Amino acid sequence: MKHVVIVGGGFAGLNCARKLAERPDVRVTLIDKNNYQQFQPLLYQVATAALSATNVAFSLRSVLRGHPNVDVKLGEVVSVDLKTHTVETAEGQQYQGDFLVLAAGSQANFFGTPGAAQHAYPLYSIHDAELLRSRILAVLESADRDPSLVAKGALNFVIVGGGPTGTELAGAFGDMARLGMKKTYDDLAVNKAQIFLVDKGHAVLGAFSEKAQTYAAKMLEQRGVQLRLGTSVKEVASGHVVLSDGTKILTHTAIWAGGLKASSLSGNAGVQTGHGGRLDVQPDLTVSGFAGVYALGDFANISGKDGKPLPQLASVAEQSGKWCARNIELDLVGEPRKPFQYFDKGIMAMIGRNSAVAEVGEHRHELQGAIAFAAWLGVHAALLTTSRAKVGAFVEWAWDYLGNVRSDPVLDRNEQAQINWNDDDEQLETAAASKA
Ligand SMILES: Cc1cc2nc3c(=O)[nH]c(=O)nc-3n(C[C@H](O)[C@H](O)[C@H](O)COP(=O)(O)OP(=O)(O)OC[C@H]3O[C@@H](n4cnc5c(N)ncnc54)[C@H](O)[C@@H]3O)c2cc1C
């Protein structure tokens, strides 16, 4: 029986494992540092308390239950030997396969921005989303208790990066400020909330059409979001951010949606990495020079039909996972592997209640407004891994839509409530003292 070792149980690795699970002549070991798959497209809804973590995380063991030929192992892979198809976890366990599939996904890329790694909130995992939700709730609770904190930026939220994640977050903040906060916090000066979306490009949603970008910008502005386009973030501190035009914005909630790179494992694979720290793969998804080694999804630079790299999207990851499984099957019977062909279903982004943009299919048929909003909800619910999650998400969305009731405004991480509201003053005093 041939053994396939898969690192990473996200869209790519899990789909590869599920497909191979159907074969009785293959044994699969799926290793992930979490014992669940996380559905990143909805993380921003966990961060803004529209959904809870259980709506978007799926136990790998439950998803793969009923497949005795698939073994799930919890562990963080820290080194990879591509020649021998062996990986080692932080705990020292080694796994060796006839085939090795690397699908370890992405992490935030702060591009060396001073203070960003220490003070900004990235949004790539359930853990990130829960920390951010707790920080948002902590500043709201604080400003409700002590309105003077508004002058220290308590109600200023700065989102870095105007791609789909940043735009969706900014829109969700706008809806929260307009609709949700008033109901929940009696003494909060909701009208003083300021939401900034910063991007060095000159439009939000860079991958979309100009029409969609204009619509998205208008919908964001209607929600009170202040767009700072053509501007980058120069520094993130615990109590403020500084923009490239010199503006200083007081905030204790700076959110980083400004870029991605491959997860840190790519640096330990013993090969030269390509753009974004990802592994360059051949058209059949194998890593050149290493027989039986595949790299997938966000962890790989995969070329599309036109030779340009495909974007880091769930659909690319999912399809590459299934394709990899098929190529392994071809390897098993000694037939030539097939070059990956991506079926482009289009792109979509939610801006807020009744406002979304969608570009459907390869020819990018454009939808906007309430139709795109309904399509976004339907597509995202359908993509959720389990039926229970699909139903759960719809119930939460219905509560939110019909009653403006958010699912989980529970401040459960006390460390996020410990905010030093004087840190900006202290920094200024230290700077003045060191000058003197
Ligand atoms: C906030 C956000 C919103 C997004 N929205 C959309 C969207 O609307 N539509 C869309 O198509 N795409 C969206 N994406 C992109 C999409 O989520 C990714 O392209 C997709 O998740 C990539 O799948 P993957 O399997 O390659 O990686 P992942 O899904 O990230 O899975 C990687 C897995 O590897 C595991 N792992 C990492 N390192 C190790 C290690 N060293 N050892 C063991 N396990 C490890 C991780 O725990 C994880 O389970 C979004 C991404 C983010 C962050």
Side-chain angles (χ1 to χ4, degrees), residues 8 10-12 32-34 40-41 75 77 104-105 123-124 298 312-314 317:
F11 284 95
D32 201 295
K33 61 183 177 182
N34 299 307
Q40 276 108 339
V77 172
L123 189 60
Y124 208 80
D298 278 15
Q312 279 66 58
L313 286 178

Side-chain angles (χ1 to χ4, degrees), residues 56-322:
V56 302
F58 315 105
S59 152
L60 291 172
R61 289 181 189 283
S62 302
V63 174
L64 291 161
R65 190 177 293 141
H67 296 289
N69 57 336
V70 182
D71 198 9
V72 174
K73 291 288 175 230
L74 175 68
E76 179 168 3
V77 172
V78 288
S79 71
V80 181
D81 185 337
L82 296 183
K83 279 202 189 104
T84 61
H85 305 166
T86 308
V87 300
E88 183 165 338
T89 64
E91 296 76 21
Q93 265 95 26
Q94 291 196 345
Y95 299 90
Q96 185 183 17
D98 300 292
F99 297 92
L100 176 61
V101 178
L102 299 173
S106 298
Q107 61 183 338
N109 189 349
F110 297 106
F111 299 104
T113 308
Q118 295 78 25
H119 302 298
Y121 285 80
L123 189 60
Y124 208 80
S125 62
I126 299 275
H127 177 73
D128 293 341
E130 288 183 321
L131 280 185
L132 175 56
R133 187 199 56 207
S134 291
R135 169 49 65 111
I136 294 166
L137 295 175
V139 292
L140 297 180
E141 295 289 352
S142 303
D144 179 77
R145 186 186 61 228
D146 178 359
S148 75
L149 296 177
V150 174
K152 294 182 184 260
L155 294 183
N156 294 347
F157 303 95
V158 179
I159 299 155
V160 187
T165 301
T167 300
E168 289 181 341
L169 256 176
F173 270 109
D175 279 348
M176 253 167 76
R178 278 189 322 154
L179 308 164
M181 289 183 200
K182 259 198 186 94
K183 270 192 155 182
T184 315
Y185 297 95
D186 292 340
D187 297 322
L188 195 66
V190 173
N191 58 341
K192 302 228 170 94
Q194 296 198 80
I195 303 145
F196 300 89
L197 180 59
V198 184
D199 196 292
K200 63 179 180 342
H202 290 278
V204 294
L205 296 180
F208 287 70
S209 70
E210 215 176 303
K211 193 172 150 205
Q213 292 170 350
T214 309
Y215 172 82
K218 192 171 148 205
M219 290 303 110
L220 287 171
E221 279 166 348
Q222 276 183 12
R223 288 169 168 77
V225 176
Q226 301 181 41
L227 299 179
R228 295 282 189 273
L229 300 176
T231 312
S232 54
V233 169
K234 282 279 165 237
E235 182 202 339
V236 183
S238 54
H240 67 256
V241 300
V242 180
L243 306 185
S244 54
D245 61 6
T247 311
K248 177 178 169 184
I249 303 172
L250 295 181
T251 181
H252 286 77
T253 319
I255 302 158
W256 195 267
L260 297 172
K261 59 182 178 185
S263 91
S264 55
L265 182 63
S266 71
N268 299 341
V271 280
Q272 179 86 31
T273 54
H275 183 66
R278 293 180 276 272
L279 298 197
D280 292 328
V281 291
Q282 304 190 91
D284 61 7
L285 304 173
T286 58
V287 178
S288 178
F290 299 96
V293 178
Y294 291 80
L296 310 177
D298 278 15
F299 201 66
N301 287 317
I302 305 173
S303 297
K305 267 200 281 210
D306 54 4
K308 290 190 190 145
L310 291 169
Q312 279 66 58
L313 286 178
S315 48
V316 175
E318 183 186 330
Q319 290 179 37
S320 67
K322 290 179 181 162

Side-chain angles (χ1 to χ4, degrees), residues 285-357:
L285 304 173
T286 58
V287 178
S288 178
F290 299 96
V293 178
Y294 291 80
L296 310 177
D298 278 15
F299 201 66
N301 287 317
I302 305 173
S303 297
K305 267 200 281 210
D306 54 4
K308 290 190 190 145
L310 291 169
Q312 279 66 58
L313 286 178
S315 48
V316 175
E318 183 186 330
Q319 290 179 37
S320 67
K322 290 179 181 162
W323 200 278
C324 167
R326 280 196 287 269
N327 273 345
I328 289 176
E329 289 177 328
L330 291 172
D331 283 335
L332 289 173
V333 293
E335 284 183 26
R337 291 182 289 273
K338 295 201 170 134
F340 176 55
Q341 282 174 28
Y342 175 56
F343 175 54
D344 185 355
K345 295 181 198 158
I347 47 178
M348 45 179 44
M350 165 77 87
I351 296 126
R353 174 175 283 248
N354 290 329
S355 310
V357 286

